[in-house]
Amino acid sequence: MSLAGDKDDRICQVCGNIAHGIHFHVVSCRACAAFFRRSAKDGETYRCTRVMKECDVTRNSCRYCRLQKCKQLGMNLDRLEGKYQKQKKVVENEPNCSSPPDSVVDDGSLPSVDVESHNFKYDANSQMLKVLGILNESSRNRLSNTSILGPFLKAYEGMIPRGTPEKIQIAETVNFRLYLKFKNEQMERIAKLTMECGEFARLPLGDKRKMFCNFWPYVYSLERCARTVEFMGPSCSTEINLLTDKIAVDWLRFEYSFPDICDEEQVKAINAHFQTFNKLNYDTFIAPMRRLKVKAMEVIYLCLYKMWNVDKIDDISAATKNVAIRVIEEASTELHTFYIEELGTNNYAARISKLFALLEGLNASFRFRRDLLVKVDAFRLYNNELNQSEFNNFSKYC
């Protein structure tokens, strides 16, 4: 094969970025593959504001032209339908696909957790160093003619390294250390996602660190809820939620297993407190978000809004606060354009209110979680050093 051919194999034929293999018969990146999958699966119809409808999608975030280019290149809808149907069966046959306790075992790569009485010793410092390594990477200049939300949306679409899994297991019991492992991975993904926002990437590291510790749980929750619908379909029960990329759980009933704890009564009590939080989280956030059928652009807007909502954060520089005001204004303008030009509606004020109610729902559940952790620690049931680290700083402001 020629050198030119080798180069073509490394370039996404849709957007021109680095490709990650062949998706739906076309050499493409994960972001474009995810965009095509979601658009085709949901039957999305986009609008292009240009008369000729020939936007350069390598420099423009027009989703109409991006989808048309996917189709012109030969991305195959039939193949997508077959894969989606297989995933839906996992949900429809729910009683037969739940895992027995501890079916997900330690594969040697789970994080180390030493348990002393009710204290879970977790190396939060090493995890913070990994996150800071990502946040300290050189910023990439954002093209002047691109949007605030567009690059963020594209990064969100390519956030899952291996794309949609072939099968999703619905588990009744999950090893707590497996959950921690995924939580670590997701923190790093969120850090990489936020660095795709040029304005954030160019901030001082100290401000980025404080902002990250304030917003990452919101991005985590929004992404997991939205990804559940993306992976498992809109008909999936609202009580089913993705815990990892390949494991979903009944949010109101599943339990964690703690292989390092021999006291069954302690394990039972810990799970009872987790389920109390999960119930409130479901009522105030998950169920309302599922009912609202939030679009990917709205998910990204909420993530970015929370990311730049810095007024309550201690010791954020004045320059960063000024950038935050501008970014939120630009993002709000783009969301306004999205509603008018792509969804064809001018009457969206009520929907905006419901979107912000989701953030308030998360605030309510996080406040409850904060108070609950104090209670379970006082009763010597559970205390995780992660909850004592700066990763938990967001609880001061919710």
Side-chain angles (χ1 to χ4, degrees):
M1 182 179 289
S2 67
L3 291 176
D6 291 341
K7 183 178 180 181
D8 288 343
D9 287 342
R10 298 195 302 269
I11 300 300
C12 174
Q13 300 302 297
V14 181
C15 70
N17 283 339
I18 297 174
H20 300 98
I22 299 175
H23 304 280
F24 309 118
H25 303 305
V26 174
V27 176
S28 55
C29 64
R30 286 189 289 266
C32 286
F35 166 78
F36 174 76
R37 179 186 64 245
R38 188 186 70 251
S39 299
K41 181 183 71 177
D42 295 342
E44 296 282 9
T45 56
Y46 305 118
R47 298 185 182 186
C48 179
T49 58
R50 300 188 180 186
V51 176
M52 299 301 292
K53 292 182 170 57
E54 294 179 350
C55 296
D56 179 359
V57 297
T58 64
R59 298 175 63 85
N60 187 290
S61 59
C62 174
R63 293 191 287 172
Y64 174 88
C65 291
R66 188 180 180 191
L67 181 57
Q68 293 308 307
K69 188 169 182 181
C70 289
K71 293 178 179 179
Q72 291 165 7
L73 289 167
M75 284 194 169
N76 190 307
L77 295 174
D78 292 337
R79 183 176 179 180
L80 174 60
E81 286 295 320
K83 186 175 182 181
Y84 178 54
Q85 292 298 325
K86 282 199 295 185
Q87 290 170 201
K88 283 181 65 177
K89 289 179 182 177
V90 174
V91 182
E92 293 166 355
N93 297 328
E94 185 177 319
N96 296 323
C97 62
S98 58
S99 67
D102 288 329
S103 66
V104 185
V105 296
D106 188 344
D107 63 358
S109 62
L110 300 186
S112 174
V113 179
D114 295 325
V115 180
E116 297 178 4
S117 180
H118 71 296
N119 294 306
F120 285 58
K121 303 293 184 179
Y122 168 86
D123 189 2
N125 290 331
S126 294
Q127 183 61 22
M128 176 55 73
L129 290 175
K130 291 179 182 179
V131 169
L132 290 177
I134 296 169
L135 298 182
N136 201 32
E137 291 175 358
S138 299
S139 62
R140 284 173 277 180
N141 294 326
R142 188 168 59 85
L143 296 174
S144 59
N145 64 338
T146 58
S147 67
I148 291 288
L149 294 178
F152 211 57
L153 176 61
K154 191 170 183 180
Y156 168 84
E157 290 167 342
M159 192 174 170
I160 309 301
R162 290 166 291 280
T164 306
E166 290 291 337
K167 182 178 180 181
I168 294 174
Q169 179 185 17
I170 300 180
E172 295 176 354
T173 307
V174 177
N175 187 323
F176 185 71
R177 290 203 289 148
L178 180 74
Y179 162 69
L180 284 181
K181 177 186 178 184
F182 181 77
K183 200 167 190 175
N184 289 348
E185 293 173 352
Q186 194 72 344
M187 284 184 192
E188 293 163 37
R189 291 179 187 175
I190 292 170
K192 293 175 182 176
L193 172 69
T194 56
M195 287 294 286
E196 292 299 321
C197 178
E199 287 78 5
F200 180 82
R202 290 188 285 271
L203 293 177
L205 180 60
D207 282 358
K208 287 191 284 189
R209 179 176 187 162
K210 294 169 189 172
M211 289 170 66
F212 180 86
C213 290
N214 181 57
F215 68 71
W216 77 265
Y218 294 86
V219 179
Y220 186 105
S221 300
L222 287 161
E223 187 273 343
R224 286 291 86 189
C225 191
R227 205 74 74 178
T228 299
V229 177
E230 179 184 335
F231 283 5
M232 305 184 74
S235 62
C236 171
S237 167
T238 58
E239 295 178 2
I240 299 297
N241 204 51
L242 283 174
L243 193 68
T244 73
D245 291 339
K246 296 182 179 181
I247 300 174
V249 295
D250 182 328
W251 199 242
L252 302 179
R253 297 172 182 84
F254 89 99
E255 295 183 346
Y256 291 111
S257 66
F258 300 89
D260 302 305
I261 300 179
C262 298
D263 187 340
E264 292 184 4
E265 289 302 314
Q266 182 182 1
V267 171
K268 184 178 179 180
I270 293 172
N271 274 308
H273 284 85
F274 273 119
Q275 288 173 351
T276 303
F277 165 76
N278 288 351
K279 176 64 167 65
L280 181 67
N281 182 249
Y282 174 82
D283 289 339
T284 61
F285 170 67
I286 293 177
M289 183 167 174
R290 293 287 295 275
R291 288 195 298 267
L292 194 55
K293 298 179 181 179
V294 180
K295 303 285 187 181
M297 183 66 82
E298 294 172 319
V299 174
I300 287 304
Y301 175 78
L302 289 176
C303 290
L304 192 140
Y305 176 85
K306 195 61 191 178
M307 173 179 169
W308 289 98
N309 188 16
V310 299
D311 288 342
K312 294 182 180 179
I313 303 177
D314 297 332
D315 300 324
I316 288 289
S317 68
T320 294
K321 290 183 178 180
N322 289 333
V323 174
I325 293 171
R326 177 176 60 81
V327 170
I328 290 176
E329 287 179 350
E330 290 184 24
S332 299
T333 299
E334 289 183 31
L335 187 65
H336 166 82
T337 302
F338 168 76
Y339 284 130
I340 292 177
E341 296 184 356
E342 296 201 25
L343 298 187
T345 178
N346 291 304
N347 185 19
Y348 55 83
R351 187 168 180 84
I352 290 288
S353 296
K354 291 179 180 178
L355 288 176
F356 278 96
L358 296 178
L359 294 182
E360 286 303 314
L362 279 175
N363 281 337
S365 59
F366 288 154
R367 284 194 298 269
F368 180 83
R369 173 184 175 275
R370 177 189 62 202
D371 297 339
L372 183 65
L373 289 173
V374 172
K375 180 180 177 182
V376 295
D377 185 25
F379 282 95
R380 300 184 65 80
L381 288 175
Y382 171 78
N383 178 44
N384 188 338
E385 288 190 353
L386 177 64
N387 299 325
Q388 310 301 323
S389 73
E390 61 183 301
F391 284 122
N392 200 46
N393 281 357
F394 70 93
S395 64
K396 296 190 299 184
Y397 308 117
C398 61

